[in-house]
Amino acid sequence: MVCPSLRFTSKCIRPLLSQAYNWKDKMGMRTVAEPKAINATEPLLLDAVRGKEVERPPVWLMRQAGRYMKSYQILCEKHPSFRERSENVDLVVEISLQPWKVFQPDGVILFSDILTPLSGMNIPFDIIKGKGPVIFDPPRTATDVEKVREFIPEESVPYVGEALTILRKEVNNQAAVLGFVGAPFTLASYVIEGGSSKNFTKIKRLAFAEPKVLHALLQKFATSMAKYIRYQADNGAQAVQIFDSWATELSPVDFEEFSLPYLKQIVDSVKLTHPDLPLILYASGSGGLLERLLLTGVDVVSLDWTVDIADGRRRLGPNVAVQGNVDPGVLFGSKEFITNRINDTVKKAGRGKHILNLGHGIKVGTPEENVAHFFEVAKGLRY
C-alpha cells in the first residue's frame, strides 16, 4: 500500500511562486522541497505513464490555464474574444504558461478548444461569452455532412503548431507539454445540437433514425482528429488528451456503436506512426463505461470524481495508467481538507501509473491560493 508523506522545509525554494503571490506569509502556507530528478531526460509525467519508477505522482489540472486566474481575467479584458485568445500564437503561449510560471505543474497543456478544428472542416462556429459555443449552420442531413471537409491542421490551424513548438522550448522538458482534441461523438454532439445541450435530443434523433448520416460525420471526425493528434505531436506535444465528454450520454450498447469504434480507430491510427505517444482519454460520468473505455487502447484513462479511484484501478487492470480524480469542488474547501483529499486519492490510486488531477476542469471562482496549496501538497508527496 502506498503511504505518501509530506516533506516540508522551512525555507521557500520556489521564488517564482513567492514573488508572484505572497501567500507564504499571508496564508500561513509552507513550501515543499523540490523532488530530486529521477530521469533528467524525460518529464515525470511521461515516466509515470510508461510505468517507470517515480517517487511521486505527476500533477496537473484540467483547465489550469484561464478561468480562475486573475492574470487571465486581465488578459480577457484586453482580448474579449475567446477565439482571438485561442487562435493568436502569442496569446496562446502566454495563457498556457501562466499556471506554469506560478505553480510549476508537471503538465503544461495547450490553451485551445476542442472546437478549434471546425472552421477548417467547413463548419462555421463561434464561442460567445455567457452562451458558449454556437454552430451557425448545424449539419443534420446527408447533404450537409457531404459538405464537411476532412481537417488539414497545417493549413487550418498553423498557430497550434507554432504555439506547441514555442511551449516545448519554454518548458524545456521540465514538464510534459500536452495537446488535446475532441472525440468524434462529442464533436458531433456540439455540431448537430448547434452548441451545448442538456438532453442531446437532436443527435440521438439522428443516431436512432438516420444512423448512416451520423456515422458518416463521425468517420470524418475520426480521420481528422487522428491527423490533428499527429500534427500536435510533430510540433511538440509529448502527450495528447482526447475529450469524449458527452459519450457518457449514450447507453453502453450505443457507446459501442457511436463512440468506441471511432476512438479505437483514432488510437490505432496514431499508434502506427507515433507508437510512444501517450494518449489520455477523458469522459465525464464514465463510471458505467470504464471497461469499454479500456478497449480503445489508450495509455491513460482519466476518471471523474464520481468513480472511486481504487475501484477504477481494479476495473481497468494494471496495464493502463489512471488520471484524476479529485472533485474540483474540493478546491473551495479548507487547506486541511484539500490536503486530506489529495492524500486519500493518491493512496487509493496506488504506486505508479497515476497522474494526479481533478475529475473535471477547475471551476470559475476557485481561489488561487487553494490551487497553489494543491500543487504544494501534491509536489511534496513521496511514495
Side-chain angles (χ1 to χ4, degrees), residues 57-77:
V59 57
W60 69 280
L61 304 181
M62 286 188 277
R63 288 181 181 159
Q64 70 187 11
R67 289 183 171 237
Y68 68 102
M69 294 190 77
K70 292 182 179 65
S71 55
Y72 176 74
Q73 293 164 6
I74 292 170
L75 188 144
C76 289
E77 293 175 2

Side-chain angles (χ1 to χ4, degrees), residues 95-155:
I95 296 168
S96 301
L97 290 176
Q98 282 179 348
W100 163 249
K101 291 177 178 178
V102 178
F103 306 120
Q104 296 285 295
D106 296 303
V108 176
I109 192 164
L110 174 77
F111 180 78
S112 187
D113 193 86
I114 63 171
L115 302 185
T116 293
L118 294 187
S119 293
M121 299 184 72
N122 197 31
I123 305 174
F125 82 103
D126 202 356
I127 298 177
I128 300 173
K129 184 177 181 180
K131 188 173 183 179
V134 176
I135 311 302
F136 295 116
D137 190 16
R140 295 171 181 158
T141 68
T143 301
D144 293 338
V145 172
E146 287 177 5
K147 297 176 183 177
V148 175
R149 296 193 297 262
E150 288 189 1
F151 187 49
I152 304 176
E154 54 268 28
E155 294 180 5

Side-chain angles (χ1 to χ4, degrees), residues 139-204:
R140 295 171 181 158
T141 68
T143 301
D144 293 338
V145 172
E146 287 177 5
K147 297 176 183 177
V148 175
R149 296 193 297 262
E150 288 189 1
F151 187 49
I152 304 176
E154 54 268 28
E155 294 180 5
S156 299
V157 293
Y159 50 85
V160 168
E162 292 175 37
L164 284 168
T165 299
I166 295 170
L167 287 174
R168 185 69 179 273
K169 292 178 181 177
E170 289 287 333
V171 176
N172 194 28
N173 242 25
Q174 296 176 63
V177 173
L178 306 172
F180 70 93
V181 304
F185 182 80
T186 290
L187 291 174
S189 295
Y190 280 110
V191 165
I192 293 169
E193 294 288 334
S196 300
S197 178
K198 291 184 178 180
N199 300 313
F200 298 88
T201 53
K202 295 181 178 66
I203 189 168
K204 288 189 176 183

Side-chain angles (χ1 to χ4, degrees), residues 12 35 38 68 77 98 113 121 127 141 152 194 202 204 245 256 270-272 277 327 338 347 364 379:
C12 178
I38 288 179
Y68 68 102
E77 293 175 2
Q98 282 179 348
D113 193 86
M121 299 184 72
I127 298 177
T141 68
I152 304 176
K202 295 181 178 66
K204 288 189 176 183
S245 305
E256 290 176 357
V270 170
K271 291 297 184 180
L272 284 175
L277 177 71
D327 184 339
I338 294 169
K347 181 178 179 180
V364 174
K379 297 185 77 172

Side-chain angles (χ1 to χ4, degrees), residues 290-312:
L290 286 189
E291 291 80 4
R292 290 170 174 83
L293 296 184
L294 185 63
L295 298 177
T296 62
V298 294
D299 303 281
V300 185
V301 174
S302 189
L303 305 174
D304 79 348
W305 70 94
T306 65
V307 179
D308 183 277
I309 200 164
D311 291 342

